[in-house]
Amino acid sequence: MAKKKQSRKALLKEPDEFLTFSSRAANFISIHLRGIQYIGLAIGIIVIAYLAGYAYLRSVNKNAQHAYNIAYYTFSKNLKEGLTPEKLRESEEMFKKVIDEYGLSKVARLALPQVAYAKFVDKKYDEAIDLYRKFLEKVSGNEQYESLAHLAIAGCYEAKGDLQGAIDTLGPIVERPDDPFRGTAMFNLARLYRLSNKPEKEKEVLKKFVQEYSNSPFAPMAKARL
């Protein structure tokens, strides 16, 4: 059965769908206006906070980089001229300032190994090891930085006479086939075995080193030890 056609008068009496929707939307906004205002305000605050935080971090990074550059230049200059206890403390304090005042900056973590090296030069090996380990935590996942930290820690252990500690520290580098510092770690490991009166271990590492790093500048010295 065909649907009965509505008259013009009946159509005019029915509410327009768009007007009905608009009315409902207006009603909704009217009822929930305070909530919508709060949501809008909250979003505005978040955006402003993000932009302010971004601008702040940019400013922090810029100032931190400037402070780090001055500290690094001073430390390098003091090393060339000869480190006195006073100059060593001066350089150490300058790097500490970068860490303390610009802890949120990108270069703050790079100041850690500089302070650690100052401690090493000052023969405060345990303090240097602690600082290098803090740096290691901050660069976790970056294999190159991790390897450099392990090499530095091994050097601290060796300097304080803990040869086994140095040997154990080089392990993570030697175990990574693609590590760019693996050759250096292996050569140092062989030397540590020699100092520890473990000639068989030394030869074992040197043979592997010569096979895998025949083009290394250390290769002739390694062959001479075999």
Side-chain angles (χ1 to χ4, degrees), residues 41-87:
L41 180 62
I43 292 172
I45 290 171
I46 291 170
V47 171
I48 291 169
Y50 171 79
L51 292 175
Y54 179 73
Y56 171 73
L57 286 176
R58 283 188 65 186
S59 175
V60 167
N61 281 325
K62 182 179 178 181
N63 293 334
Q65 185 67 62
H66 180 66
Y68 178 88
N69 289 344
I70 293 174
Y72 189 84
Y73 172 78
T74 303
F75 194 27
S76 300
K77 183 171 175 286
N78 288 342
L79 280 172
K80 288 179 183 177
E81 294 177 354
L83 273 179
T84 63
E86 292 76 20
K87 287 182 178 180

Side-chain angles (χ1 to χ4, degrees), residues 182 186 204-215 219 222-223 226:
R182 184 169 178 263
M186 285 179 71
E204 180 185 336
V205 175
L206 285 176
K207 283 179 182 178
K208 197 171 183 180
F209 175 81
V210 170
Q211 288 174 354
E212 297 183 21
Y213 299 97
S214 57
N215 295 325
K223 290 177 182 177
L226 291 172

Side-chain angles (χ1 to χ4, degrees), residues 1 6-7 14 16 38 50 89 100 112 124 146 224:
M1 187 176 179
Q6 290 179 301
S7 67
E14 290 186 356
D16 181 87
Y38 287 155
Y50 171 79
R89 279 193 294 271
D100 294 339
L112 269 173
K124 296 177 180 178
E146 286 179 356

Side-chain angles (χ1 to χ4, degrees), residues 52-210:
Y54 179 73
Y56 171 73
L57 286 176
R58 283 188 65 186
S59 175
V60 167
N61 281 325
K62 182 179 178 181
N63 293 334
Q65 185 67 62
H66 180 66
Y68 178 88
N69 289 344
I70 293 174
Y72 189 84
Y73 172 78
T74 303
F75 194 27
S76 300
K77 183 171 175 286
N78 288 342
L79 280 172
K80 288 179 183 177
E81 294 177 354
L83 273 179
T84 63
E86 292 76 20
K87 287 182 178 180
L88 186 62
R89 279 193 294 271
E90 176 193 20
S91 299
E92 186 179 329
E93 288 302 318
M94 292 179 78
F95 282 116
K96 278 184 178 179
K97 181 181 178 181
V98 177
I99 297 169
D100 294 339
E101 296 188 10
Y102 306 104
L104 295 175
S105 68
K106 295 177 181 179
V107 299
R109 68 178 183 177
L110 298 180
L112 269 173
Q114 301 294 350
V115 179
Y117 180 66
K119 295 290 185 185
F120 173 82
V121 173
D122 204 20
K123 298 182 180 180
K124 296 177 180 178
Y125 304 122
D126 288 331
E127 291 183 41
I129 289 170
D130 288 341
L131 288 167
Y132 279 127
R133 290 201 183 282
K134 285 181 181 178
F135 175 69
L136 194 57
E137 290 174 6
K138 290 184 178 293
V139 297
S140 178
N142 186 316
E143 288 189 359
Q144 291 191 4
Y145 279 159
E146 286 179 356
S147 296
L148 287 169
H150 279 119
L151 285 168
I153 292 169
C156 291
Y157 275 123
E158 182 180 352
K160 65 179 285 192
D162 185 353
L163 297 180
Q164 189 57 49
I167 290 169
D168 293 341
T169 303
L170 291 176
I173 309 175
V174 176
E175 290 170 6
R176 289 199 288 254
D178 299 326
D179 195 300
F181 300 101
R182 184 169 178 263
T184 302
M186 285 179 71
F187 187 77
N188 284 333
L189 184 60
R191 182 177 53 78
L192 288 167
Y193 278 134
R194 180 171 72 253
L195 295 173
S196 301
N197 297 316
K198 296 178 180 178
E200 293 305 317
K201 284 279 189 181
E202 178 196 5
K203 287 185 179 180
E204 180 185 336
V205 175
L206 285 176
K207 283 179 182 178
K208 197 171 183 180
F209 175 81
V210 170

